[in-house]
Amino acid sequence: MLIKLRKRWELKENQTTSESVYLNRRSFLKKAALGSVVLSSGMVAGCEEQSAEATAATPVKTPLSSLDPSAKYYPATRNESYKLDRELSLEELATTYNNYYEFGSSKNIHAKAQSLSIRPWSIVIDGMVEKEMNLDIDDLFSKIEFEERLYRHRCVEAWSMAVPWTGFPLRKLVELAQPLSSAKYLRMETFNLPDVATGQKAHWYPWPYIEGLTIEEATHDLAFIATGIYGKPMPKQNGAPLRLVTPWKYGFKSTKAIIKFTFTDKRPVSFWEEIQGSEYGFWANVNPEVPHARWSQATEQPLGKSERVPTLPFNGYADEVADLYKSIKGERLFT
Ligand SMILES: Nc1nc2c(c(=O)[nH]1)N[C@H]1C(S)=C(S)[C@@H](COP(=O)(O)O)O[C@H]1N2
Ligand SMILES: [Mo]
């Protein structure tokens, strides 16, 4: 018999709303008409894996960091400019309560994510750049200085955490890429390996995971490429070997396991925007006063805490980033 003991901090299914539950009915029907959606009795638009597995958290040991060729860069010096107004989340929670739909739509994907091979790993830089590049990440890491930053993270589902990321400002990668002045956006793409990441066999999702930022956002000091967390190389479930972190935006913007950076003059359509653009927009800046279509964004549930706390404008980074949006009119900046 499976006995489920829910720790006090754990979120009940009804306390947060999964991003997956509300696939756009129109695109669903379109795909169904094309024959690409297999209807099964248990499937209500993305409700796979709502089984006991979702709460049977058996913490998996992160692979020995000494096996990671980048282990020598850890721990990196903390950049003290980034202060938190709250305690750090427990590492055990931040590395076992994840969103990573490539490995399934439950929070408990950390074991499955171990099947991703993260070496060799190269990233392509292409599009509107001086010269397209294909970089081995260990070469890239050897040229870039790592630092540690304490950031808040706010998922659109209204849970949050505060973690020490290690990595480098995204701006450094933009400088390396030398974009042309015609480039207005940076598009980021994750791997597409359905045999390894079995969530990608769910063909009603628009794989691969895509995200995008304006060049102004991408070169803002807070935009960060994280390669590690808690003073160690990134666990696979958190987006190894490198992921985006934009702490003033909802968490779905911070795409994991990036393989390609494309500079473009066309605004990228991101993964969640493609699925349900009216609820998950391009901008996705955190704003407690602008509710999600189906729930309030006024408060959030920090991992490991029993009390909800108020959500802050731009997730507490308004002084740093509000100016980026001053002159933008007629856009849904907060969903
Ligand atoms: N490739 C990819 N990146 C992703 C996601 C995903 O499903 N696939 N989920 C996003 C969401 S919704 C959140 S909240 C964060 C979660 O990051 P964490 O698991 O490190 O907490 O990753 C984001 N990046
Ligand atoms: Mo999220």
Side-chain angles (χ1 to χ4, degrees):
M1 191 174 91
L2 181 66
I3 299 169
K4 281 194 261 172
L5 290 176
R6 198 190 294 280
K7 296 201 196 79
R8 208 150 59 93
W9 62 267
E10 276 185 306
L11 306 173
K12 296 198 194 76
E13 293 294 340
N14 62 2
Q15 285 177 301
T16 60
T17 312
S18 164
E19 280 150 332
S20 75
V21 179
Y22 300 90
L23 282 179
N24 179 311
R25 194 175 139 79
R26 223 178 46 226
S27 68
F28 178 81
L29 290 177
K30 199 167 69 198
K31 282 175 190 157
L34 291 171
S36 65
V37 170
V38 182
L39 291 167
S40 72
S41 57
M43 197 194 86
V44 186
C47 279
E48 72 274 343
E49 296 200 56
Q50 299 301 318
S51 61
E53 184 212 40
T55 45
T58 322
V60 165
K61 287 217 179 72
T62 321
L64 273 181
S65 51
S66 58
L67 298 177
D68 188 304
S70 66
K72 53 182 181 269
Y73 305 122
Y74 296 85
T77 308
R78 183 172 294 176
N79 182 334
E80 299 291 347
S81 320
Y82 304 92
K83 306 253 186 264
L84 288 178
D85 59 348
R86 56 193 71 182
E87 275 173 51
L88 284 177
S89 304
L90 293 176
E91 177 178 356
E92 181 200 326
L93 303 182
T95 57
T96 57
Y97 186 89
N98 301 101
N99 267 338
Y100 205 165
Y101 276 67
E102 283 82 344
F103 295 97
S105 61
S106 89
K107 299 292 184 264
N108 185 19
I109 52 73
H110 50 275
K112 285 186 190 156
Q114 305 314 311
S115 57
L116 181 68
S117 168
I118 55 166
R119 289 297 186 287
W121 192 278
S122 51
I123 55 168
V124 170
I125 298 180
D126 68 3
M128 298 173 145
V129 288
E130 284 296 335
K131 192 170 154 278
E132 301 199 334
M133 282 184 254
N134 194 326
L135 298 169
D136 173 76
I137 56 156
D138 291 310
D139 281 349
L140 173 69
F141 291 176
S142 71
K143 294 186 191 100
I144 282 186
E145 204 183 326
F146 284 176
E147 62 180 77
E148 183 177 75
R149 295 185 180 188
L150 310 183
Y151 275 176
R152 289 182 287 270
H153 174 97
R154 170 63 157 80
C155 176
V156 73
E157 298 164 339
W159 58 269
S160 68
M161 60 182 186
V163 296
W165 299 111
T166 301
F168 53 88
L170 175 58
R171 187 183 56 245
K172 288 198 190 174
L173 195 133
V174 175
E175 285 164 2
L176 186 80
Q178 295 186 270
L180 306 176
S181 57
S182 46
K184 301 283 177 271
Y185 300 94
L186 174 57
R187 175 187 184 277
M188 284 150 279
E189 187 175 316
T190 294
F191 64 84
N192 194 3
L193 299 168
D195 289 335
V196 175
T198 51
Q200 292 187 317
K201 289 191 170 151
H203 38 42
W204 52 93
Y205 289 121
W207 307 111
Y209 203 98
I210 304 293
E211 259 307 337
L213 295 172
T214 64
I215 300 294
E216 291 71 33
E217 291 175 326
T219 52
H220 189 280
D221 186 53
L222 282 173
F224 200 62
I225 292 291
T227 59
I229 190 169
Y230 295 96
K232 288 173 258 181
M234 192 72 80
K236 292 179 182 181
Q237 62 271 28
N238 294 94
L242 78 176
R243 69 173 288 173
L244 179 67
V245 177
T246 45
W248 71 99
K249 291 180 178 283
Y250 289 115
F252 65 84
K253 296 292 293 184
S254 53
T255 183
K256 297 177 171 180
I258 302 169
I259 60 160
K260 200 202 279 189
F261 294 84
T262 305
F263 291 84
T264 165
D265 58 0
K266 286 184 195 66
R267 188 192 289 188
V269 178
S270 48
F271 179 80
W272 284 106
E273 190 180 3
E274 173 96 31
I275 294 167
Q276 185 61 299
S278 61
E279 301 186 1
Y280 310 104
F282 171 78
W283 299 97
N285 295 307
V286 176
N287 187 333
E289 288 174 13
V290 179
H292 183 272
R294 286 170 285 110
W295 60 88
S296 163
Q297 295 290 25
T299 64
E300 65 203 47
Q301 174 76 65
L303 292 188
K305 304 284 175 200
S306 45
E307 302 286 314
R308 296 181 76 88
V309 298
T311 288
L312 301 169
F314 292 101
N315 200 25
Y317 300 98
D319 288 350
E320 288 90 338
V321 299
D323 278 356
L324 284 174
Y325 306 100
K326 273 214 168 114
S327 60
I328 302 178
K329 302 279 177 263
E331 294 272 346
R332 287 190 297 117
L333 292 170
F334 304 107
T335 46

